[in-house]
Amino acid sequence: HMGEDDEDLKVPAALSKLDTSGILFFLGILMSIGVLDKSGLLKDLAIFLNENLPSQDIIATVIGIASALIDNVPLVAATMGMYDLAEYGTDDKLWQLIALCAGTGGSILIIGSASGVALMGLEKVDFLWYAKKVSVGAAVGYFAGIATYLAQNAILSGALLGGSP
């Protein structure tokens, strides 16, 4: 790159700019999820949700609401341990809805995403201010997004037109 110091382009300089504490934080979370998976607790949670909630759509919606309190990365990692890819393929409706719900549900509360926590720290946004000014709109958008996805899925699968899903 023209005008850049060659030292800035070398591996040691790039490594010095890494957020080591952030990397270790996510590594610790993912290791914890691995322990929960290996112990069978995630499968037990999946069985509990399947037995107590009437549909996969509601399960994904609940997972999304949980992402308002828990960051979506560990939540989705945990969900991957709950539902087997052999039973629910990688492009299954369940995974699509979980991606939508976990990705957008974290915006309902400012603490539900790493970017929200960063916003609190960098811009000094107060939790209660966010809850009053943003959370209701984020929740409306969250549920509207789910409704739109489900309607689109029903139309494209032919379920609304009398076809078989």
Side-chain angles (χ1 to χ4, degrees):
H1 297 214
M2 191 70 133
E4 285 190 48
D5 186 13
D6 285 341
E7 292 299 314
D8 290 339
L9 299 176
K10 295 193 177 180
V11 173
L15 290 175
S16 70
K17 296 177 183 177
L18 286 177
D19 177 20
T20 308
S21 63
I23 291 171
L24 291 175
F25 171 76
F26 279 109
L27 181 62
I29 286 175
L30 294 175
M31 289 174 63
S32 299
I33 297 299
V35 168
L36 292 173
D37 185 24
K38 291 295 181 192
S39 69
L41 289 174
L42 295 179
K43 293 288 184 201
D44 292 344
L45 179 58
I47 291 167
F48 174 81
L49 291 173
N50 287 334
E51 290 176 351
N52 292 291
L53 296 176
S55 75
Q56 297 280 315
D57 300 339
I58 293 174
I59 290 171
T61 302
V62 167
I63 289 169
I65 291 170
S67 79
L69 296 170
I70 303 167
D71 187 68
N72 63 348
V73 172
L75 190 63
V76 171
T79 305
M80 291 168 64
M82 291 167 55
Y83 297 100
D84 191 7
L85 284 173
E87 186 177 349
Y88 301 98
T90 55
D91 199 28
D92 191 84
K93 176 185 165 194
L94 174 67
W95 295 119
Q96 293 175 7
L97 196 52
I98 286 174
L100 170 69
C101 292
T104 59
S107 296
I108 295 173
L109 294 176
I110 197 167
I111 60 171
S113 67
S115 59
V117 173
L119 178 68
M120 287 177 73
L122 295 174
E123 298 297 326
K124 307 300 182 225
V125 173
D126 183 61
F127 177 84
L128 292 177
W129 179 90
Y130 187 92
K132 290 177 189 173
K133 304 282 185 178
V134 179
S135 290
V136 172
V140 169
Y142 173 74
F143 289 110
I146 294 169
T148 301
Y149 172 80
L150 293 175
Q152 174 184 324
N153 191 53
I155 290 168
L156 293 177
S157 69
L160 289 182
L161 304 174
S164 62

